[in-house]
């Protein structure tokens, strides 16, 4: 395993892979059994703060200080998309349980919702302060965001309450 600054880790749904990223702007994928690096994914320009697999294990997403959210195809080991729109550091990424929606949270005070079939922005939820963590409910109908104002906000994903651009 790496001995440099790693800020984000995630297991794939099957528990076969561990992804990690951090200070050197590279996402690493390890085989959990052998602990060997299987491949390295490069694309971020700065530190990586958030990593998540989609529920199928097909995609890996990372967010970083460069304000981008990057999507990687795990099987093909290649980039799929670079999602732009955040104006500051991305600290949180999360997929809904059905892999239809990706959420990203940033120091710019927004949560962005992305359609995973097109990787296009669906909406922007204005939180108002730095977003550090995101979690979908089990059925995907709600999204929780935790922020620097010491508050947790619950969003109705279908109605996108609080959504504006």
């Amino acid at each position: 395993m790496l001995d440099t600054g790693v800020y984000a880790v995630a297991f794939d749904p099957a528990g076969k892979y561990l992804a990690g990223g951090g200070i050197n702007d590279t996402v690493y994928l390890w085989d959990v059994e052998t602990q060997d690096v299987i491949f390295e994914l490069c694309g971020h320009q700065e530190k990586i703060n958030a990593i998540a697999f989609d529920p199928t294990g097909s995609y890996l997403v990372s967010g970083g200080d460069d304000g981008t959210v990057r999507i990687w195809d795990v099987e093909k080991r290649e980039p799929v998309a670079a999602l732009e729109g955040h104006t500051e550091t991305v600290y949180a990424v999360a997929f809904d349980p059905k892999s239809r929606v990706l959420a990203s949270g940033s120091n710019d005070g927004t949560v962005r919702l992305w359609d995973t079939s097109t990787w296009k922005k669906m909406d922007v939820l204005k939180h108002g302060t730095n977003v550090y963590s995101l979690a979908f409910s089990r059925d995907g109908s709600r999204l929780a965001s935790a922020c620097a104002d010491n508050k947790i906000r619950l969003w109705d994903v279908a109605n996108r309450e609080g959504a504006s651009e």
Side-chain angles (χ1 to χ4, degrees):
M1 296 284 173
L2 291 182
D3 60 0
T4 61
V6 177
Y7 295 122
V9 293
F11 282 103
D12 78 305
K16 183 178 178 179
Y17 301 119
L18 175 66
I23 201 161
N24 70 352
D25 67 23
T26 301
V27 175
Y28 295 89
L29 195 67
W30 290 278
D31 179 297
V32 171
E33 190 173 312
T34 66
Q35 297 187 9
D36 292 330
V37 172
I38 297 171
F39 62 93
E40 300 174 12
L41 304 167
C42 300
H44 284 282
Q45 302 302 309
E46 297 180 49
K47 178 179 71 173
I48 297 164
N49 301 301
I51 287 184
F53 283 92
D54 81 312
T56 69
S58 299
Y59 296 104
L60 176 64
V61 62
S62 56
D65 280 2
D66 60 6
T68 66
V69 176
R70 297 195 178 265
I71 313 301
W72 313 92
D73 183 305
V74 175
E75 186 177 318
K76 294 179 183 175
R77 301 178 183 182
E78 63 186 22
V80 172
L83 310 180
E84 297 181 353
H86 286 294
T87 58
E88 294 186 35
T89 297
V90 175
Y91 275 113
V93 291
F95 282 96
D96 81 315
K98 294 181 181 174
S99 293
R100 294 182 185 157
V101 178
L102 168 66
S104 58
S106 170
N107 271 6
D108 64 11
T110 67
V111 174
R112 292 182 178 264
L113 301 178
W114 310 90
D115 181 332
T116 60
S117 66
T118 61
W119 302 114
K120 302 284 185 200
K121 181 186 72 174
M122 295 168 55
D123 239 321
V124 178
L125 308 175
K126 303 258 181 157
H127 204 295
T129 187
N130 305 0
V131 179
Y132 293 128
S133 186
L134 297 168
F136 278 94
S137 63
R138 183 179 174 142
D139 66 0
S141 67
R142 292 184 181 213
L143 175 67
S145 58
C147 298
D149 62 2
N150 296 319
K151 295 180 182 177
I152 296 172
R153 250 204 189 146
L154 289 177
W155 304 91
D156 181 324
V157 176
N159 296 327
R160 299 194 182 69
E161 290 179 12
S164 62
E165 179 71 43

